[in-house]
Amino acid sequence: MKRYQIDENGFFGRYGGAYVPEILYKCVTDLQRAYLPILESEDFRQEYRALLKDYVGRPSPLYPARRMSEKYRCRLFLKREDLNHTGAHKINNTVGQILMAKRMGKTRIIAETGAGQHGVATATVCALMGMRCEIFMGKTDVERQHTNVERMRMLGAEVHPVTTGNMTLSDACSQAIRDWCCHPRDTFYIVGSTMGPHPYPDIVARLQSIISEELKWQLQEKTGRDWPDYIIACVGGGSNAAGSIWHYLDDKRVKICLAEAGGQGIETDRTAATMHCGSEGIIHGARTLVMQTDDGQIKEAFTISAGLDYPGIGPMHAHLAELGRTRILAVNDDEAIAAGYELTRLEGIIPAIESAHALAALKKLSFRPDDIVVLTVSGRGDKDIQTYLNRKDMAGEYGDF
Ligand SMILES: *Cc1c(COP(=O)(O)O)cnc(C)c1O
């Protein structure tokens, strides 16, 4: 396991670390010292597990998808994170981090959000715990994702539109870090993916690892063995993927295929495929792969999927891909839309467009009929209906309605 996990300095191989301004140094080192003892304490585990069960609705089902299995000639199982409270895997992480914030005596919560999913999951647990909540969101995203903004406000959060840069997720992250610099004592920053300075990538991966923990006993129950031949997931920052593969990293029988957002194509400038197009750099406190210009300016990411719209990638994934432990596929907007329509019509499940990227990967792989394939449906598509309808041209045989 060690080979794939974080070392004592907070690095996954060459990637990771904590590149933060001086003023956050104490905050970050306090968290580095505190997080493992908290996560491993009996008291935390009990409260976390109870909330996952009774509030989030876990375990999430592992659904044998019959018609999709026929189509792709394998035994396909869908891990249904879309059925969680608030509609995605993000809540697994925010429930854990708010319990951590409470134990560290923090009274104010901040978070960044792109599509608004992490903002909603954070505002939700703040309402649950009666904590003050402020969310940073690019102004472009505030306009694009209006319902999620209304949800956050209804939950009692204050939403700050960010007007720097391209006014999207990357700028919201920068603004959240600036706010944290101004309030290091009372504020806990709930990071939404396996990104940011050490220890965040490790915290988020551990909190999401409940996904693969459940997979083990669910597969045992349904197939008679506790491992699949393939795990497929989408990657933005990498949290649902990290959680889906965590307990299988050392098991070489399990092939891991991750789908990043190709946007309009990795050969164009309009892409978010960081692992195909990025180079080593520092973004939001971590050394990792970044999409940047030759002189080191961070480039804007482009994809139809707001949740994958990030010019960096979690350091853990940069490392795993470099070691060849994971295979990274780029999935373009059109392919994702088509895959989303297909799942909708073959199984009656409308996936988030992020998750549709993982589904599109099925077409790029070839299976044996007895292969057990687990695909994580990271979220539901309610937020994306308009985007799907605008691209009915990609629905093929399913677009005639
Ligand atoms: C945020 C989000 C993602 C991407 O984030 P990861 O950290 O890479 O998992 C994927 N799917 C859904 C539904 C999301 O909300």
Side-chain angles (χ1 to χ4, degrees), residues 31-267:
L31 188 59
Q32 288 170 357
R33 267 194 289 271
Y35 84 102
L36 279 178
I38 292 178
L39 288 178
E40 283 161 9
S41 71
E42 196 44 41
D43 156 72
F44 174 90
R45 288 175 58 87
Q46 274 185 14
E47 197 176 355
Y48 180 56
R49 294 294 164 137
L51 284 171
L52 287 184
K53 175 164 178 283
D54 300 326
Y55 187 72
V56 174
R58 302 201 73 90
S60 66
L62 182 66
Y63 164 65
R66 186 179 58 81
R67 297 182 69 201
M68 286 284 282
S69 293
E70 274 167 22
K71 167 118 202 204
Y72 289 100
R73 299 174 192 285
C74 66
R75 297 175 66 190
L76 179 67
F77 292 84
L78 303 178
K79 183 61 171 158
R80 300 289 310 277
E81 296 300 303
D82 57 311
L83 294 177
N84 294 336
H85 180 43
T86 69
H89 66 291
K90 296 254 170 34
I91 190 109
N92 303 328
N93 170 50
T94 58
V95 164
Q97 284 195 50
I98 201 152
L99 296 179
M100 198 175 270
K102 276 209 314 186
R103 280 160 178 76
M104 294 182 72
K106 306 289 182 179
T107 54
R108 174 177 176 265
I109 299 294
I110 58 168
E112 85 295 338
T113 196
Q117 294 298 105
H118 175 57
V120 168
T122 302
T124 298
V125 296
C126 286
L128 178 70
M129 295 294 165
M131 292 258 241
R132 204 172 135 202
C133 179
E134 298 186 35
I135 305 287
F136 296 90
M137 186 172 189
K139 187 164 163 279
T140 311
D141 290 331
V142 169
E143 285 155 14
R144 283 197 292 201
Q145 310 288 336
H146 206 66
T147 355
N148 275 342
V149 175
E150 306 286 61
R151 285 167 86 191
M152 288 183 256
R153 292 190 168 136
M154 184 164 169
L155 286 158
E158 199 175 322
V159 180
H160 300 289
V162 175
T163 54
T164 50
N166 303 308
M167 306 191 229
T168 56
L169 175 59
S170 185
D171 312 295
C173 292
S174 306
Q175 192 60 38
I177 293 174
R178 275 192 285 274
D179 178 281
W180 198 23
C181 290
C182 299
H183 310 91
R185 282 176 158 275
D186 64 340
T187 296
F188 191 97
Y189 179 11
I190 297 190
V191 172
S193 189
T194 41
M195 43 162 275
H198 171 62
Y200 280 107
D202 198 38
I203 292 177
V204 178
R206 284 170 191 268
L207 291 171
Q208 292 291 358
S209 71
I210 184 69
I211 300 174
S212 49
E213 185 186 307
E214 289 171 3
L215 282 177
K216 288 209 144 186
W217 62 260
Q218 289 175 317
L219 282 169
Q220 184 69 46
E221 217 172 79
K222 292 196 151 67
T223 70
R225 61 166 154 100
D226 71 356
W227 54 279
D229 296 287
Y230 288 85
I231 299 179
I232 303 173
C234 65
V235 264
S239 70
N240 88 87
S244 302
I245 66 181
W246 181 268
H247 290 286
Y248 294 109
L249 281 171
D250 277 333
D251 189 340
K252 286 290 159 57
R253 296 170 298 186
V254 181
K255 300 184 241 334
I256 302 171
C257 298
L258 305 179
E260 62 176 358
Q264 292 181 0
I266 56 172
E267 68 291 346

Side-chain angles (χ1 to χ4, degrees), residues 15 20 35 49 88 104 113 176 270 287 295 349 358 379 386-387:
Y15 302 111
V20 295
Y35 84 102
R49 294 294 164 137
M104 294 182 72
T113 196
R270 294 171 77 75
R287 175 173 294 280
D295 53 354
I349 297 170
Q386 201 52 54
T387 312

Side-chain angles (χ1 to χ4, degrees), residues 260-273 276-277 291 302-304 330-335:
E260 62 176 358
Q264 292 181 0
I266 56 172
E267 68 291 346
T268 72
D269 244 6
R270 294 171 77 75
T271 182
H276 282 85
C277 305
M291 296 208 301
F302 185 91
T303 150
I304 197 166
V331 168
N332 294 351
D333 291 352
D334 289 356
E335 298 171 308

Side-chain angles (χ1 to χ4, degrees), residues 291-309:
M291 296 208 301
Q292 52 191 333
T293 59
D294 292 338
D295 53 354
Q297 293 292 323
I298 291 167
K299 282 198 208 167
E300 186 176 13
F302 185 91
T303 150
I304 197 166
S305 159
L308 303 179
D309 207 351

